Amino acid sequence: MSRFLLGALVAFFAVTGGAQPESRSVLGERNPLLAAGADAIRAGRYDDGIRLTLQGLESETVSPRLRSAALANLCAAHAANGAPDTALGFCAESLAIDERNWRAYSNRAFAYWLKEMYAEASADIEAASAIAPEAPQVRQIRGMINEKILRPTVTMETRE
Amino acid sequence: MSVAYRSGALGVLALLLGAGEVAANDAEVRPVGVWSCLMYGEAGNQRFFLELAADNSVRMARLAEAGDGVWRPLGAWRRQRGRLEFADEANGRLFVARLAFTDLGGTWRGIRDGGGWWCAAETRAADGAPPPVHRLLESLVPAIMASPNYPLGAIREAKEGRTVSCFIVMGTGEIRRPEVIESTDEIFRRPTLEAVAASRYRSWGDENAALPACRSFTFELGTDG
């Protein structure tokens, strides 16, 4: 899978706010840097996204839940940038604030997947699935993990 | 054409018309006729002849009966909602065929077990007796056994399953008209049919000879640990 596709996958689920209480417009008004960072990550401009998000976390007033979401975004952006070790740190921070942040679990699962740590990736994607079982991103990551860890066999029996 | 030749040709034609006919244009199978069949289940596989008559009577001849040249009557066949059904009351089995298949066959259910069955059109004997018993004893030897690819989508979704495909093996060893008669999930249908289509048997008879055969495929996923 190309880095571009991996990046697109992570960024896609990192920045949307579906499960978050803050609406996109409120986020934009009160936290313009975080909103711009999320937009940059969504657009695949990870370095810009990381910079803006870090600035936003330093200068804007954010609720714990929004801080957790922003850290999960940083995790996603670093993973998409091919830096899973850095990503793991941000995901851990995100989950320390909000242990129900399924995006952080999902992003961390992706970071583990990049490091070929499939047992850890499986555990995280299960945690994400327990919170957001219908999330397409969770199913996608789980599929990527299954592709790596499951060994298919086909047994044939003749009936003649 | 000489009179003798024409008479012989008409005789052959009459015999062929009496055989089980396979629809030529993907229409449903026409069941009336004599069939060489295979039945499979947990207890194993069994070959037999089957005759479905226009008056809805059904007769079966397994190995011993065919050897004695006799048929054993079964319950009448009937069409119902695209299916054909008849009962073998002596053995407590109900046979169901899907008429949409190109060849005659489907599934059977007993009191405690079940399985599938598949038939190839057989030439009706001139005296109305079952066809020669040696037709039930032909052995099919696989020449190429293609294995299905495990669908990537099934791996991603961690899906396991099972399919059974039945088909006709021509005397040349070619496989014709494979159908999937059992499938736990549609995702396994295509690779099953592709594998069967890529397989063949050793030649066992002339190009007009045909025997039914089936293959089951079990799709499983394991882990290294």
Side-chain angles (χ1 to χ4, degrees), chain B residues 56 58 76-80 83-86 94 99:
Chain B
N56 292 82
V58 181
W77 66 271
R78 60 176 184 163
R79 288 174 193 267
Q80 193 171 19
R83 305 189 316 176
L84 177 151
E85 294 179 0
F86 60 89
L94 176 69
L99 292 169

Side-chain angles (χ1 to χ4, degrees), chain B residues 4 8 14 20 25-26 29-30 47 58 69 83 94 122 135 137 145 149 151 157 175 189:
Chain B
N25 57 353
D26 290 340
V29 63
R30 282 170 281 181
R47 291 225 195 123
V58 181
R83 305 189 316 176
L94 176 69
E122 183 66 73
R135 302 277 291 138
L137 299 170
M145 297 270 276
N149 291 320
E157 293 179 38
I175 287 174
R189 173 181 290 273

Side-chain angles (χ1 to χ4, degrees), chain A residues 1-16 38-46 76-82 103 106-107 110 113-114 136-137 140-141 144:
Chain A
M1 196 179 290
S2 73
R3 190 173 160 203
F4 172 78
L5 285 174
L6 295 177
L9 175 67
V10 175
F12 174 74
F13 60 74
V15 295
T16 52
D39 287 343
I41 294 170
R42 193 205 317 262
R45 293 183 285 110
Y46 304 119
H78 281 290
N81 248 351
R103 294 172 197 280
S106 185
N107 290 347
F110 179 67
W113 183 88
L114 287 172
Q137 299 92 338
Q140 274 183 283
I141 301 282
M144 290 161 57

Side-chain angles (χ1 to χ4, degrees), chain B residues 19-52:
Chain B
E21 295 173 61
V22 172
N25 57 353
D26 290 340
E28 66 179 30
V29 63
R30 282 170 281 181
V32 172
V34 177
W35 302 85
S36 173
C37 301
L38 166 74
M39 182 171 73
Y40 67 82
E42 287 173 18
N45 311 322
Q46 189 176 53
R47 291 225 195 123
F48 60 95
F49 294 121
L50 189 67
E51 183 190 57
L52 276 67

Side-chain angles (χ1 to χ4, degrees), chain A residues 1 139-160, chain B residues 38 41 45 140 145-146 148 150 152 155-156 201 213-222 224:
Chain A
M1 196 179 290
R139 289 208 297 271
Q140 274 183 283
I141 301 282
R142 190 204 299 276
M144 290 161 57
I145 297 167
N146 285 343
E147 205 179 320
K148 295 290 184 183
I149 64 172
L150 297 179
R151 299 282 169 263
T153 57
V154 182
T155 310
M156 188 164 40
E157 192 179 351
T158 56
R159 309 282 195 171
E160 292 149 7
Chain B
L38 166 74
N45 311 322
L140 293 173
M145 297 270 276
Y150 209 113
L152 190 56
I155 297 172
R156 285 182 174 155
Y201 286 79
C214 300
R215 275 185 203 169
S216 63
F217 300 95
T218 304
F219 296 79
E220 291 174 300
L221 293 166
D224 288 336

Side-chain angles (χ1 to χ4, degrees), chain B residues 113-135:
Chain B
D113 53 359
W117 59 291
W118 203 248
C119 300
E122 183 66 73
T123 303
R124 184 192 296 278
D127 60 0
V133 70
H134 70 81
R135 302 277 291 138

